[in-house]
Amino acid sequence: MTARLIDGKKIASEIRAEVAVSAARLAERGTKPGLAAVLVGDDPASQVYVRMKKRACEEAGIYAPDMHLPADTTQEALIERIEQLNGDPRIHGILVQLPLPRPLDESEIMLRVRPEKDVDGFHPVNVGRMVSGDPDAFRPATPAGIQELLKRIDVDPQGRHVVVMGRSNIVGRPVAEILSQKQPWANATVTLAHSRTPDLGEVGRLGDILIVAIGRPEFVTADMVRPGAVVIDVGVNRVDDPETEKGYRLVGDVAFEAVRTVASWITPVPGGVGPMTIAMLLRNTIKAAERFPA
Ligand code: NAP
């Protein structure tokens, strides 16, 4: 068997086109949606992510002002900036790019973002609403993107066994939560595995759908995957590769070439889950602007 590729890049660009239509409709009614992506300091990866998010916003007709603050910004100054954004009627979504430079306290900063503008879905109010099954809660972008990928390839998790490897608060735990809910495109039986799971392969082979978010390059091998499974690889890892111009290449948490011979569907890395994260963030921004047009 050779698995079919789940083309996250194409699916994400379809969603971004849908977002652009919604943004234009809102603008006609007098609300241009706005997203503030707050970047503190000069972490190169964070700069790239924020630039990508800003560009995607601009392409979709979402206002995305520059929000770059110096690395020595104090906790008080950052909170003050967030309070300004909380009260700014042009801004419907606020995200704070993580990680923040030390000694800034990320959890306190997250609490200061108004839940109605928390399009990343990290505020405890949104986490609680999401867990209690409120369909209007902002759901974190990467897990929501995974569910959307399944929808777009017409694989309904209902009644299937979903195995999630990795229990982080931004990917593994929320995706396990979302897919086990009594909701459309969910209703799965979910197993959440992690670093203390004694035999990851044994658990992995239970999965009709296997979602891997552990941050270990090419860790999941073909023998850990049920034949015919749908494999969603969230991992993004740099591995040295002197053959390439940059000296490295990106790989997922799944040994792609081997696993594609046993799976029925598989996401590539890059070009699978990654592009969906930004698309779902834009979608959440539209949702915020529709709800509170200001
Ligand atoms: P994280 O916070 O580092 O969490 C990793 C999780 O994997 C933890 O729950 C850990 O278990 C588990 N784990 C680590 N090694 C393991 C092993 N050998 N066996 C079983 N479980 C193991 O990671 P994350 O933030 O969720 O990110 C995971 C990966 O996804 C990373 O490569 C990251 O770059 C990528 N990512 C991609 C996107 C995207 O948009 N494509 C978004 C976010 C993250 P314990 O809890 O027991 O420590």
Side-chain angles (χ1 to χ4, degrees), residues 142 165-172 193-197 200 212-216 219 234-237 253 273-274 277:
T142 304
M165 295 181 179
R167 57 178 164 185
S168 74
N169 286 337
I170 60 167
V171 189
H194 44 76
S195 69
R196 309 297 159 90
T197 301
L200 207 59
V212 190
I214 59 175
R216 300 272 179 271
F219 189 88
V234 187
V236 182
N237 309 285
D253 290 343
V273 175
T277 299

Short mmCIF file of all heavy atoms in Angstrom, two decimals, residues 142 165-172 193-197 200 212-216 219 234-237 253 273-274 277, ligand 1:
data_model
loop_
_atom_site.label_atom_id
_atom_site.label_comp_id
_atom_site.label_asym_id
_atom_site.label_seq_id
_atom_site.Cartn_x
_atom_site.Cartn_y
_atom_site.Cartn_z
N THR A 142 -3.74 24.54 15.97
CA THR A 142 -3.18 23.29 15.42
C THR A 142 -4.16 22.13 15.59
O THR A 142 -4.47 21.43 14.61
CB THR A 142 -1.80 22.99 16.04
OG1 THR A 142 -0.96 24.13 15.81
CG2 THR A 142 -1.17 21.77 15.42
N MET A 165 -0.19 10.67 20.19
CA MET A 165 1.10 10.56 20.90
C MET A 165 1.58 11.98 21.21
O MET A 165 1.77 12.77 20.29
CB MET A 165 2.13 9.84 20.03
CG MET A 165 1.77 8.40 19.75
SD MET A 165 3.05 7.61 18.73
CE MET A 165 2.38 5.94 18.61
N GLY A 166 1.75 12.27 22.50
CA GLY A 166 2.13 13.62 22.95
C GLY A 166 0.96 14.27 23.65
O GLY A 166 -0.16 14.20 23.15
N ARG A 167 1.22 14.88 24.82
CA ARG A 167 0.12 15.44 25.62
C ARG A 167 0.35 16.91 25.95
O ARG A 167 0.02 17.37 27.04
CB ARG A 167 -0.05 14.62 26.90
CG ARG A 167 1.22 14.58 27.73
CD ARG A 167 1.03 13.81 29.03
NE ARG A 167 2.31 13.46 29.61
CZ ARG A 167 2.46 12.72 30.68
NH1 ARG A 167 1.42 12.23 31.31
NH2 ARG A 167 3.66 12.44 31.15
N SER A 168 0.97 17.66 25.02
CA SER A 168 1.21 19.09 25.32
C SER A 168 -0.12 19.84 25.34
O SER A 168 -1.12 19.40 24.74
CB SER A 168 2.13 19.71 24.27
OG SER A 168 1.42 19.89 23.06
N ASN A 169 -0.09 21.00 26.01
CA ASN A 169 -1.32 21.79 26.11
C ASN A 169 -1.69 22.46 24.80
O ASN A 169 -2.81 22.94 24.65
CB ASN A 169 -1.15 22.88 27.18
CG ASN A 169 -1.20 22.29 28.57
OD1 ASN A 169 -1.76 21.20 28.77
ND2 ASN A 169 -0.61 22.98 29.52
N ILE A 170 -0.74 22.53 23.86
CA ILE A 170 -1.08 23.22 22.60
C ILE A 170 -1.47 22.26 21.48
O ILE A 170 -2.12 22.66 20.53
CB ILE A 170 0.04 24.17 22.12
CG1 ILE A 170 1.35 23.42 21.87
CG2 ILE A 170 0.27 25.30 23.11
CD1 ILE A 170 2.36 24.27 21.09
N VAL A 171 -1.07 20.98 21.58
CA VAL A 171 -1.42 20.04 20.50
C VAL A 171 -2.10 18.77 21.04
O VAL A 171 -3.30 18.56 20.85
CB VAL A 171 -0.20 19.64 19.64
CG1 VAL A 171 -0.68 18.85 18.42
CG2 VAL A 171 0.64 20.83 19.20
N GLY A 172 -1.32 17.91 21.69
CA GLY A 172 -1.81 16.57 22.01
C GLY A 172 -3.08 16.56 22.85
O GLY A 172 -4.09 15.94 22.50
N ALA A 193 -1.22 8.97 24.48
CA ALA A 193 0.04 8.35 24.92
C ALA A 193 1.12 9.42 25.10
O ALA A 193 1.01 10.51 24.55
CB ALA A 193 0.49 7.32 23.89
N HIS A 194 2.16 9.09 25.87
CA HIS A 194 3.19 10.08 26.19
C HIS A 194 4.48 9.37 26.56
O HIS A 194 4.58 8.14 26.38
CB HIS A 194 2.69 10.99 27.32
CG HIS A 194 2.03 10.25 28.42
ND1 HIS A 194 2.74 9.53 29.34
CD2 HIS A 194 0.71 10.05 28.68
CE1 HIS A 194 1.89 8.94 30.17
NE2 HIS A 194 0.65 9.24 29.78
N SER A 195 5.43 10.12 27.13
CA SER A 195 6.76 9.53 27.35
C SER A 195 6.77 8.44 28.42
O SER A 195 7.73 7.68 28.51
CB SER A 195 7.76 10.63 27.72
OG SER A 195 7.46 11.14 29.00
N ARG A 196 5.71 8.35 29.21
CA ARG A 196 5.68 7.27 30.23
C ARG A 196 4.85 6.09 29.75
O ARG A 196 4.59 5.17 30.52
CB ARG A 196 5.13 7.79 31.55
CG ARG A 196 5.79 9.05 32.07
CD ARG A 196 7.28 8.83 32.38
NE ARG A 196 8.00 10.12 32.39
CZ ARG A 196 8.16 10.88 33.45
NH1 ARG A 196 7.71 10.50 34.60
NH2 ARG A 196 8.81 12.02 33.37
N THR A 197 4.40 6.12 28.52
CA THR A 197 3.67 4.97 27.96
C THR A 197 4.69 3.86 27.71
O THR A 197 5.66 4.08 26.98
CB THR A 197 2.98 5.38 26.64
OG1 THR A 197 2.09 6.46 26.92
CG2 THR A 197 2.23 4.22 26.02
N LEU A 200 5.00 2.19 23.18
CA LEU A 200 4.31 3.13 22.30
C LEU A 200 3.82 2.45 21.01
O LEU A 200 2.75 2.77 20.50
CB LEU A 200 5.28 4.28 21.95
CG LEU A 200 4.67 5.61 21.62
CD1 LEU A 200 3.82 6.15 22.76
CD2 LEU A 200 5.77 6.63 21.27
N VAL A 212 0.58 12.26 15.77
CA VAL A 212 1.86 12.24 16.47
C VAL A 212 2.38 13.65 16.67
O VAL A 212 2.59 14.39 15.71
CB VAL A 212 2.91 11.40 15.70
CG1 VAL A 212 4.14 11.19 16.56
CG2 VAL A 212 2.33 10.06 15.27
N ALA A 213 2.57 14.03 17.94
CA ALA A 213 3.09 15.36 18.29
C ALA A 213 4.03 15.21 19.47
O ALA A 213 3.70 15.54 20.61
CB ALA A 213 1.94 16.31 18.64
N ILE A 214 5.23 14.69 19.20
CA ILE A 214 6.18 14.44 20.29
C ILE A 214 7.49 15.22 20.13
O ILE A 214 8.28 15.30 21.06
CB ILE A 214 6.47 12.92 20.48
CG1 ILE A 214 7.05 12.30 19.21
CG2 ILE A 214 5.22 12.18 20.90
CD1 ILE A 214 7.47 10.83 19.39
N GLY A 215 7.75 15.75 18.96
CA GLY A 215 8.99 16.52 18.76
C GLY A 215 10.24 15.65 18.74
O GLY A 215 11.29 16.06 19.21
N ARG A 216 10.11 14.44 18.16
CA ARG A 216 11.26 13.53 18.03
C ARG A 216 11.37 13.11 16.56
O ARG A 216 10.47 12.43 16.05
CB ARG A 216 11.06 12.25 18.86
CG ARG A 216 10.88 12.48 20.35
CD ARG A 216 12.23 12.51 21.06
NE ARG A 216 12.06 12.75 22.48
CZ ARG A 216 12.02 13.96 23.05
NH1 ARG A 216 12.11 15.04 22.31
NH2 ARG A 216 11.90 14.10 24.36
N PHE A 219 10.52 9.38 14.72
CA PHE A 219 10.47 8.42 15.83
C PHE A 219 9.50 7.27 15.56
O PHE A 219 9.74 6.13 15.94
CB PHE A 219 10.04 9.19 17.09
CG PHE A 219 10.13 8.42 18.36
CD1 PHE A 219 11.31 8.41 19.10
CD2 PHE A 219 9.04 7.71 18.84
CE1 PHE A 219 11.40 7.70 20.28
CE2 PHE A 219 9.12 6.99 20.02
CZ PHE A 219 10.30 6.99 20.75
N VAL A 234 2.44 15.86 13.29
CA VAL A 234 2.47 17.28 13.68
C VAL A 234 3.91 17.77 13.83
O VAL A 234 4.19 18.96 13.72
CB VAL A 234 1.71 17.49 15.01
CG1 VAL A 234 1.57 18.96 15.34
CG2 VAL A 234 0.31 16.86 14.94
N GLY A 235 4.83 16.86 14.04
CA GLY A 235 6.21 17.23 14.37
C GLY A 235 6.89 18.06 13.29
O GLY A 235 6.67 17.86 12.10
N VAL A 236 7.71 18.99 13.75
CA VAL A 236 8.58 19.75 12.84
C VAL A 236 9.95 19.75 13.50
O VAL A 236 10.14 20.37 14.55
CB VAL A 236 8.09 21.21 12.67
CG1 VAL A 236 8.99 21.94 11.69
CG2 VAL A 236 6.64 21.26 12.20
N ASN A 237 10.88 19.01 12.91
CA ASN A 237 12.21 18.88 13.51
C ASN A 237 13.28 19.17 12.47
O ASN A 237 13.16 18.74 11.32
CB ASN A 237 12.43 17.44 14.01
CG ASN A 237 11.29 16.95 14.88
OD1 ASN A 237 11.16 17.34 16.02
ND2 ASN A 237 10.43 16.07 14.33
N ASP A 253 7.72 13.77 13.02
CA ASP A 253 7.94 12.79 14.09
C ASP A 253 7.76 11.36 13.56
O ASP A 253 7.96 10.39 14.28
CB ASP A 253 6.93 13.02 15.23
CG ASP A 253 7.21 14.31 15.99
OD1 ASP A 253 8.33 14.85 15.87
OD2 ASP A 253 6.30 14.78 16.71
N VAL A 273 0.34 19.51 8.42
CA VAL A 273 -0.37 20.23 9.49
C VAL A 273 0.05 21.70 9.57
O VAL A 273 -0.78 22.58 9.82
CB VAL A 273 -0.10 19.53 10.86
CG1 VAL A 273 -0.72 20.32 12.00
CG2 VAL A 273 -0.63 18.11 10.84
N GLY A 274 1.33 21.98 9.33
CA GLY A 274 1.87 23.33 9.51
C GLY A 274 1.02 24.44 8.88
O GLY A 274 0.59 25.36 9.57
N THR A 277 -2.26 25.56 10.62
CA THR A 277 -2.26 26.32 11.87
C THR A 277 -2.57 27.79 11.60
O THR A 277 -3.42 28.38 12.27
CB THR A 277 -0.89 26.13 12.58
OG1 THR A 277 -0.75 24.73 12.85
CG2 THR A 277 -0.82 26.89 13.88
P1 NAP B 1 6.08 19.33 23.66
O1 NAP B 1 5.41 20.40 24.43
O2 NAP B 1 7.55 19.18 23.70
O3 NAP B 1 5.41 17.95 24.10
C1 NAP B 1 5.91 16.73 23.61
C2 NAP B 1 5.03 15.61 24.10
O4 NAP B 1 5.53 14.41 23.54
C3 NAP B 1 5.04 15.43 25.61
O5 NAP B 1 3.74 15.12 26.05
C4 NAP B 1 6.00 14.27 25.84
O6 NAP B 1 5.66 13.45 26.92
C5 NAP B 1 5.79 13.47 24.56
N1 NAP B 1 7.01 12.70 24.22
C6 NAP B 1 8.25 13.17 24.07
N2 NAP B 1 9.10 12.17 23.76
C7 NAP B 1 8.35 11.05 23.73
C8 NAP B 1 8.64 9.70 23.49
N3 NAP B 1 9.88 9.28 23.21
N4 NAP B 1 7.63 8.81 23.54
C9 NAP B 1 6.39 9.21 23.82
N5 NAP B 1 6.04 10.48 24.06
C10 NAP B 1 7.02 11.39 24.02
O7 NAP B 1 5.74 19.38 22.11
P2 NAP B 1 4.59 20.15 21.26
O8 NAP B 1 4.67 21.60 21.51
O9 NAP B 1 3.28 19.45 21.39
O10 NAP B 1 5.17 19.86 19.81
C11 NAP B 1 5.34 18.56 19.30
C12 NAP B 1 5.91 18.66 17.90
O11 NAP B 1 4.95 19.33 17.08
C13 NAP B 1 7.18 19.48 17.79
O12 NAP B 1 7.99 18.92 16.77
C14 NAP B 1 6.69 20.85 17.35
O13 NAP B 1 7.66 21.57 16.60
C15 NAP B 1 5.53 20.47 16.48
N6 NAP B 1 4.47 21.49 16.37
C16 NAP B 1 4.02 21.78 15.12
C17 NAP B 1 2.99 22.67 14.95
C18 NAP B 1 2.50 22.95 13.57
O14 NAP B 1 1.79 23.90 13.36
N7 NAP B 1 2.84 22.10 12.61
C19 NAP B 1 2.42 23.32 16.05
C20 NAP B 1 2.90 23.00 17.32
C21 NAP B 1 3.91 22.06 17.47
P3 NAP B 1 5.68 13.95 28.46
O15 NAP B 1 4.45 14.79 28.61
O16 NAP B 1 5.60 12.72 29.24
O17 NAP B 1 6.94 14.73 28.63
#
